[in-house]
Amino acid sequence: AKQRQEAGMLVLACLACLKALPLGRATLWEHRQAIGKPFDQLHRWCGRERSALAAELRAPTLALCKRWRRQPKPPGQEHVPEIKALRRRVVDMIAQGLQGIGSNSPASPAPLLGAASPALPGPLAAGEVEAALWGRHGGASGTTEYRNHARMLRTNLALPGNSELRARVLAGDLVAEELVAMDSAHLAPEALQKQRKEAELKNMRESVVEELVPKRGDDSPGSRSPFDPSYDNNVAPRAWIPSPTKEKALAEAERAPLPMPLPPPTPFQETASAPEVEPPTPEILATPAPEDEDEDEASLLRYLSNPP
């Protein structure tokens, strides 16, 4: 019973390692004698055994089975010889990229950052990346996109500044599914990404539309020239500067005092008094005729002669 308990603890430790490592269906097939077949026997034993140890081991084995069954089959399980040969060439291509080799020419691999840390073998990690790439492009129906994507991966992985990216893939920090989901912009080295981002921000700032006006002379006090003397209509374009109109208007509006409100109406003044306006000069009347003067004098005498 003690030996059985110790064996169960060892099996649980092995299952925890398999769960933590970035190993998939491709690794199980390549190492089927050491990992694949023993795991399959353990899974079958947990399914038919009705003991406490089998019940304890059944959950982690079932979780690993579900994870590996969702993954595409590796190149070794292909039945079509042409497809199998194509996928094996892609595995070799990705392995070259993980070694820092950007072409098929025999070159010395580029050194990896943090080489002392535990890492997966290059062919093992390349097999996992190829399987994820094959499943991403829908199998044999997307062989053209599959080949182009594989070349792009090999080229970006082999860049001299991507040692850290290669180390992350081999260490398992960046899983195969995440790697194949990255485009060329995200696969570029960090220095190149920073340079591209700065160029993009610079282009964005330059593309901002500003209200520009022609430069018209010197705005400094004491300047008498209405135009820029260095400007030539025949050879040079007009110098444009940001228009200060809006900023000046806003500044003047902020400095201007608020207008005084009108006084409220009183009982004798319903509206505000209007400012005094000088009356217009009256026109000069024409001189009366002699007949008009006699009629006026006769009317005045009749009025005075009548008693009240």
Side-chain angles (χ1 to χ4, degrees), residues 26-91:
T27 303
L28 294 181
W29 176 258
E30 293 296 331
H31 300 274
R32 52 188 177 275
Q33 298 297 332
I35 304 177
K37 290 185 177 180
F39 180 82
D40 186 57
Q41 293 175 1
L42 175 64
H43 178 60
R44 292 181 180 179
W45 179 82
C46 292
R48 64 173 181 266
E49 189 70 19
R50 293 295 180 267
S51 61
L53 181 60
E56 187 177 3
L57 299 177
R58 190 176 296 118
T61 53
L62 185 60
L64 288 172
C65 283
K66 289 182 178 180
R67 188 182 78 178
W68 290 333
R69 284 174 182 173
R70 290 194 300 264
Q71 299 175 356
K73 59 183 179 180
Q77 292 182 336
E78 288 287 350
H79 301 290
V80 182
E82 293 79 6
I83 300 297
K84 181 184 292 187
L86 171 64
R87 297 188 63 183
R88 289 191 181 277
R89 288 197 301 269
V90 171
V91 172

Side-chain angles (χ1 to χ4, degrees), residues 12-31:
L12 285 175
C14 293
L15 292 176
C17 291
L18 289 176
K19 183 179 180 181
L21 291 174
L23 303 179
R25 189 172 175 178
T27 303
L28 294 181
W29 176 258
E30 293 296 331
H31 300 274

Side-chain angles (χ1 to χ4, degrees), residues 142-308:
T143 53
T144 303
E145 293 82 3
Y146 166 77
R147 293 178 182 179
N148 296 335
H149 199 163
R151 295 190 187 97
M152 186 269 293
L153 279 178
R154 195 261 304 268
T155 302
N156 285 277
L157 286 172
L159 291 176
N162 260 345
S163 299
E164 184 177 355
L165 177 63
R166 294 193 294 269
R168 290 179 58 197
V169 175
L170 294 176
D173 297 335
L174 183 63
V175 296
E177 289 77 8
E178 295 178 358
L179 178 65
V180 299
M182 298 169 64
D183 56 3
S184 59
H186 293 86
L187 288 173
E190 292 186 1
L192 183 57
Q193 292 184 23
K194 184 178 179 180
Q195 182 179 358
R196 290 175 178 174
K197 187 174 181 180
E198 291 177 355
E200 183 179 356
L201 293 177
K202 181 180 178 181
N203 294 333
M204 186 180 300
R205 288 193 297 266
E206 292 177 353
S207 64
V208 174
V209 179
E210 296 185 14
E211 184 181 357
L212 303 178
V213 295
K215 185 177 181 181
R216 304 178 64 87
D218 189 8
D219 295 334
S220 60
S223 176
R224 298 180 179 179
S225 176
F227 296 96
D228 187 359
S230 63
Y231 171 70
D232 188 354
N233 283 322
N234 299 320
V235 297
R238 188 180 299 276
W240 296 88
I241 59 174
S243 173
T245 305
K246 294 184 178 179
E247 298 180 359
K248 185 177 180 180
L250 292 175
E252 291 179 355
E254 292 178 357
R255 292 194 301 266
L258 295 177
M260 295 298 294
L262 296 175
T266 61
F268 303 99
Q269 181 183 5
E270 297 182 358
T271 58
S273 59
E276 296 182 359
V277 180
E278 184 178 356
T281 304
E283 297 181 358
I284 300 176
L285 299 177
T287 305
E291 297 83 6
D292 297 336
E293 293 181 356
D294 295 340
E295 292 179 359
D296 293 339
E297 185 178 356
S299 300
L300 179 61
L301 291 175
R302 283 196 302 270
Y303 175 77
L304 295 176
S305 61
N306 292 330

